[in-house]
Structure formats: structure tokens, C-alpha cells
Amino acid sequence: MTQEHSPTQGDTAGTGIDTTVPHSARIWNYWLGGKDNYAVDREAGDQYLEIFPGIKVVARSSRGFLTRAVRYLAGEAGIRQFLDIGTGLPTADNTHEVAQRVAPDSKIVYVDNDPLVLAHARALLTSLPAGVCEYLDADIRNPEAILDVAAGLLDFTRPVALMLMGIMGHFTDEEAYPIVDRLVAGLPSGGYFALYDGANTNDAFNQAQEGYNNSGAVPYHLRSPEQFTRFFRGLEMVEPGVVPVPLWRPDPDAEPVEIYSYCGVGRKP
Amino acid sequence: MSSDDESPAEISGPTVPRMILGNRLRRFREGAAISPDRAGWEIRASRSKISRMENGRVGFKERDVTDLLDLYGITDSETRQSLTSLARQANAPGWWTRYGDIMTDWFEEYLGLETAASVIRTFELQFVNGLFQTEAYARAVTLLGNGSAPAEDIDRRVSLRLKRQDLLGGPNPPQVWTVVDEGALRRPVGGRAVMRSQLEQLIEVAALRHVTIQVVPFSRGGHAAAGGSFTVLRFSDPDVPDVVYIEQLTSALYLDKREDVDHYLEVMNHLSTEALPPAQTARFLAEIIKEM
């Protein structure tokens, strides 16, 4: 079912964990207040914070979008199958927890190609008895392979929600649009696509990101709001469309904050 | 198994309130730029007592807490109330205190941490994790270390070990994530029959939602060979750091300095990625049972 222990590079132990360069999932974990990060990640995270202190709020706020989007999808939209590519390290309110709180029979396929993320997901992102969690070791650069395996784990005659949360920034437009187009094309009609990523609308954010991209970590590209809109081509946008994350169906008691991270949820007709 | 007369405070024990309270006191002291010596003097205690308090290793007198808050200039009544309430919880006895006669202090401390943890990650090189042991296996392990002890002592030790397992069946169990070396699964502690039923029990617990068991087969695992068994305890409070626990023959080591924790977490992560994925555990165990 899953491809275990694919060959890895960059670490001598052969486990795919390199603690000598900062690692995006671990830095993100650090900004979110998690404990699964190393000195090299905290250092890179702190350097980033010095230039753009807002990143912690961006991280928290983006997770908040994930929670509200999954709650909407499992609730109002009636979705029971989720394909979450770019899982990241476990934090509070992981996809299956939010979905299964609304609908315990929800089925989630977590996809990542990072061995550390996969090990954590298999151990800690475990389903309620009524639902299912599956873990897929695959690279999003090969969307065809992901769709093939996912088709064996999910029922593609019924709606599926595709989630790309904070991962497409790792690709240039030339790489990113074809990947997303291919994945969305594979979704059954009535399926949904949800995405958030960092936007290039703040100078400090841009500057901090540039420093980060030169640190040896896998680079991450900030996009304009127009570039975000392009991801949803051919889809019916769920209200309020492509917006900064705090503005997407905010909780009634949410305080307005200015955030340079954009998101959207589209429905495949 | 847990009896009805246990209050929630008794089940969770004093360990986490101690750690949280200690952490807050340290931050207030540092914020007020007051030395540990000066703080110790204020409550008629030593510098090292302050350090033990701030590390969450001891109980607290309510009066000491209020005196320290006065010294640190903390006047907000809500903050003060929340800290004195923590001080009261920090003195509640844990269920394990009734086993005090057969337990060393360091193991008592471990039980406090284990009961309070939200995630328990262990690497087992020699034995099956105590939380998963059958009575017969637990007895065999206990006899190995305490062969000359009187029979009723052995019984009490075995019953303590089994009592610990209530944690897994409780209303809010921690996630237990164990990486176990193949050697610990093949060594017939207590004989083949005992080991076979122990392995069968492992297959059963591995199916629990909050239990993950991964095997490091002999064919893999340089990291497994590089050190001994250890445990990393994680607590849900974001301010409470992970604690590494390493049991030795006559004592135990607790590490909660960030550099130490980082190092052990890194080894644990290597082990978890080197080990077979959890979905292959049941089949692997069934193979060993067949060969045993």
C-alpha cells in the first residue's frame, strides 16, 4: 500500500532526518509553540522572527483556517473523505481530529514524503474507531502516483476534499500550477479543494523569507493574491473567495488581525 | 481496575502542577531580576531548594509561594490565586504513594511523570515495556532484579507494575509510542510459554488507538545498538518541557535541559524512522510466536 523507506539523501544514518539544516515542518512546529524542533530550527526560526515577528501569528492563524475549513467541509459541505497532502508534524487540531469531531466516520489520507513527519503521523494521528486514517509516503511532484494510491484508499465515486495547507509555497508557479491542476482534475465532481500559503504583501515578511531561503532550508515562495486566485481555476469559490486567512468564515468572537497569508476553498462543479 | 474512591486529583497526581508552578515562579523571579540566593533567603531556604522548586521536583508550602510572589512584586489577585491553587494541587498524593515501602524515590518520581504525560515515547532494548507486561512476564523480570526479596515483596512489586497499566484503560490515556528492539521480543524471559503469551498480549495492545508499537529488526538499526533503553515524556502544557528518563541499576537519570532533550529526541526520531512502520508489527510478532 505505502512505499516504506524509500532511499533518502543528505543524512548519514539513512533515516532521512538531517538535524544540521533547518527543516520547514520543525520550524513551523517551533513557531506554533510545539516541542518537536531542534536547535538549528529554533535558530532559523528566531532569525526569521527578528525580521518578521508576525510569523507566529501567521502560523497560528493559518492553522485556524485549516480548522475552520475542515469544519466547514465535514459540516455544511457534508464531505467524509479528505486527501491532506503535506501533513506536517502533529499539532493541536489536526485534520482528522477536526473532521471526526464533526463526523466520526470521516476518512483521511495523510500524504507526506518526509520520514519524520510520516513516523509521527502513523503513531500520533490515529483515527477514531468509526473512521479511518491512512498514511501515504509520496512526493507531491508526482500527483499521478498520489491519485493512483488514493483511489485505492478513498471512494472516488463520492466527493473528496483535497487539502494543500502551506505546501505549494515550496514550488515555483511553473511547478505548482500543473501539480494542482492535475490533482484537481483527479477529484470527483462535487469535491473540494482548500489551500493556504504565505503572501508577498508585506515587506518584512518578504525580507524574512528571502533570508530563510538562503539558509539552506528548502525555499518557500510568497505569492501575490492574483497568483493565489489562479490555483482555483475552473472551481466555484466558496464564499468569501480568496482572502487573507483571518477573513475566511471567521469565528464570531475572532478579533480582526492583519495577516499576510491567503486562503480559499473551491468546489469542483 | 481503578476504584471509585479515587478523586481526579489523585489520579493525575501532583507532578504536573509542580512543574507548571515551578516554571511560573522561575519566570517571575527572572522577570524581577532576583537571584536564587535572595529568593531562598526570603523563604528561609537554600538556593538549591529554590532550584528544586523551580524544576518542579518538590511539593510547595502555600506560604512560601505567597512570600515569593510578594518578593517578585506579583500583585494581581487572579495570578496569585491561580498559583496558590496550583500549590495545593502540587501537594496532593499520587496513587503510587501507597507503594512507598517497595519503591525508591526515583521510581516514585517516574510514576508521577508517567501519569501526567500526554505522550510517552520509549525505546526498549532488553524488555517489553512495563505498561504492556503480562503478570507472568512482570514476575519473571521482577525476580531477575530482586531474586532474594521475600515473596510478599515480589507480589507487591508485580502488583504495582500491573496497577500502572490502569493508565492505558483510563478515561484520558496518554499516547504510548514504543520502539522495541527485536532482541527484547526474542529473549524468552520467564520461559517460552510466558514469552509467547506476552507477545500475544503485545499484539492486542498494539491494536489500541493510543498505543503504537514499532519493531527494530536485527537487519536494521545502528541507532538501536548505540545506546540503552530510555523514555521521553511529553506534557500537554506548552510551558512544561519534555523529560528524558533513563533507568540504571540502582538509580535513574532525569534530563530536562533543552540540549539533552534535543539529543535524545533526535535518537528517538532516528529509531522511529528506522523501525518497521506500526502496521507491520502484528505480523512480525506473529512470526516470532510461531518460531518460539
Side-chain angles (χ1 to χ4, degrees):
Chain A
M1 178 188 74
T2 55
Q3 178 63 44
E4 306 295 351
H5 295 274
S6 43
T8 51
Q9 59 280 318
D11 76 312
T12 48
T15 56
I17 302 174
D18 189 340
T19 53
T20 61
V21 292
H23 174 283
S24 71
R26 297 193 311 243
I27 298 177
W28 195 249
N29 174 271
Y30 172 59
W31 286 332
L32 284 170
K35 300 169 189 173
D36 288 307
N37 46 75
Y38 299 126
V40 62
D41 311 307
R42 295 190 289 275
E43 223 167 88
D46 286 340
Q47 273 171 21
Y48 202 111
L49 277 166
E50 264 174 42
I51 305 172
F52 180 53
I55 190 65
K56 277 193 180 179
V57 190
V58 168
R60 264 203 309 278
S61 196
S62 302
R63 283 305 294 194
F65 164 68
L66 181 148
T67 305
R68 297 195 306 281
V70 173
R71 209 190 293 142
Y72 166 83
L73 291 166
E76 236 170 287
I79 296 292
R80 294 292 175 272
Q81 309 187 91
F82 296 82
L83 180 58
D84 181 345
I85 307 179
T87 304
L89 287 165
T91 172
D93 280 345
N94 302 289
T95 300
H96 74 287
E97 289 161 346
V98 180
Q100 293 185 342
R101 225 177 280 146
V102 181
D105 58 335
S106 295
K107 193 164 184 176
I108 291 86
V109 176
Y110 284 116
V111 184
D112 213 298
N113 67 340
D114 184 308
L116 181 67
V117 167
L118 282 168
H120 278 79
R122 290 189 185 108
L124 303 177
L125 304 184
T126 51
S127 174
L128 288 180
V132 179
C133 287
E134 302 273 5
Y135 319 94
L136 178 56
D137 179 357
D139 192 325
I140 193 171
R141 275 169 286 220
N142 191 351
E144 213 66 56
I146 292 178
L147 287 170
D148 272 358
V149 183
L153 302 171
L154 299 171
D155 175 2
F156 269 64
T157 65
R158 305 189 43 80
V160 173
L162 165 69
M163 301 171 49
L164 301 176
M165 299 299 197
I167 136 161
M168 294 323 289
H170 287 301
F171 303 97
T172 62
D173 284 359
E174 291 68 38
E175 298 165 310
Y177 295 139
I179 290 173
V180 170
D181 288 347
R182 182 63 199 96
L183 287 170
V184 170
L187 288 183
S189 167
Y192 286 81
F193 166 45
L195 168 145
Y196 77 71
D197 260 306
N200 63 4
T201 50
N202 175 282
D203 288 342
F205 197 178
N206 292 336
Q207 203 191 329
Q209 196 56 51
E210 202 182 313
Y212 174 90
N213 290 350
N214 294 328
S215 72
V218 180
Y220 182 95
H221 310 281
L222 301 175
R223 290 193 160 85
S224 68
E226 296 71 38
Q227 284 170 298
F228 280 107
T229 306
R230 162 64 187 83
F231 278 119
F232 296 92
R233 197 161 74 180
L235 299 178
E236 298 162 354
M237 292 312 290
V238 172
E239 283 302 312
V242 174
V243 292
V245 286
L247 302 183
W248 198 91
R249 298 178 175 244
D251 291 332
D253 55 346
E255 290 192 14
V257 275
E258 198 174 354
I259 289 296
Y260 315 100
S261 180
Y262 273 66
C263 67
V265 176
R267 180 181 179 276
K268 190 170 173 180
Chain B
M1 259 266 301
S2 70
S3 55
D4 293 330
D5 57 26
E6 280 172 339
S7 68
E10 196 183 358
I11 289 165
S12 63
T15 309
V16 158
R18 282 179 190 178
M19 292 167 106
I20 297 172
L21 179 53
N23 239 298
R24 304 239 161 104
L25 286 175
R26 172 182 289 121
R27 270 191 283 151
F28 287 145
R29 181 180 58 73
E30 288 171 351
I34 287 169
S35 73
D37 289 300
R38 171 79 186 83
W41 188 84
E42 183 70 20
I43 59 165
R44 305 146 298 274
S46 65
R47 166 199 186 91
S48 77
K49 171 78 184 287
I50 292 292
S51 154
R52 285 200 303 278
M53 287 169 77
E54 290 180 348
N55 286 321
R57 293 286 184 259
V58 288
F60 292 82
K61 283 197 199 100
E62 245 180 274
R63 181 173 157 208
D64 288 351
V65 172
T66 51
D67 285 354
L68 287 175
L69 291 175
D70 287 341
L71 177 68
Y72 302 158
I74 306 299
T75 51
D76 176 60
S77 68
E78 218 168 285
T79 307
R80 293 178 67 101
Q81 256 170 32
S82 94
L83 290 191
T84 44
S85 141
L86 275 171
R88 276 192 296 274
Q89 293 170 45
N91 291 328
W95 62 261
W96 50 87
T97 43
R98 70 189 74 140
Y99 288 90
D101 55 320
I102 52 155
M103 244 190 324
T104 54
D105 290 349
W106 50 265
F107 193 66
E108 190 167 344
E109 187 169 349
Y110 178 72
L111 292 179
L113 293 168
E114 177 180 82
T115 311
S118 61
V119 181
I120 301 174
R121 294 180 70 177
T122 76
F123 171 55
E124 308 291 345
L125 192 57
Q126 291 173 291
F127 298 117
V128 167
N129 187 308
L131 288 172
F132 308 145
Q133 290 177 4
T134 63
E135 181 169 358
Y137 184 96
R139 186 169 296 277
V141 174
T142 306
L143 282 168
L144 285 178
N146 308 276
S148 57
E152 60 267 34
D153 250 34
I154 300 288
D155 287 346
R156 299 255 302 144
R157 282 172 198 274
V158 172
S159 105
L160 166 63
R161 198 169 285 237
L162 299 179
K163 174 81 181 146
R164 263 172 77 196
Q165 300 177 0
D166 287 357
L167 195 58
L168 293 179
N172 196 11
Q175 292 198 277
V176 184
W177 180 5
T178 293
V179 177
V180 57
D181 187 69
E182 182 174 349
L185 302 171
R186 290 206 177 265
R187 186 172 297 114
V189 172
R192 285 175 199 286
V194 168
M195 196 60 203
R196 257 197 303 271
S197 34
Q198 175 61 68
L199 294 174
E200 279 157 11
Q201 171 141 326
L202 272 187
I203 294 179
E204 270 176 47
V205 286
L208 294 173
R209 181 184 179 212
H210 53 280
V211 172
T212 301
I213 300 177
Q214 291 184 263
V215 180
V216 190
F218 288 141
S219 56
R220 284 192 195 157
H223 281 94
S229 307
F230 65 100
T231 299
V232 182
L233 299 156
R234 172 155 302 173
F235 308 93
S236 53
D237 190 296
D239 285 337
V240 176
D242 290 351
V243 174
V244 175
Y245 171 76
I246 304 163
E247 205 170 302
Q248 298 162 337
L249 284 179
T250 56
S251 64
L253 205 57
Y254 290 94
L255 306 170
D256 60 7
K257 282 215 185 65
R258 194 65 217 227
E259 314 88 87
D260 295 327
V261 172
D262 269 7
H263 179 76
Y264 280 92
L265 209 51
E266 189 181 337
V267 174
M268 191 67 95
N269 283 336
H270 278 301
L271 287 163
S272 318
T273 47
E274 268 178 353
L276 299 173
Q280 293 182 27
T281 299
R283 203 173 51 203
F284 196 95
L285 291 170
E287 277 301 310
I288 301 182
I289 293 173
K290 230 189 298 169
E291 290 166 26
M292 188 157 279

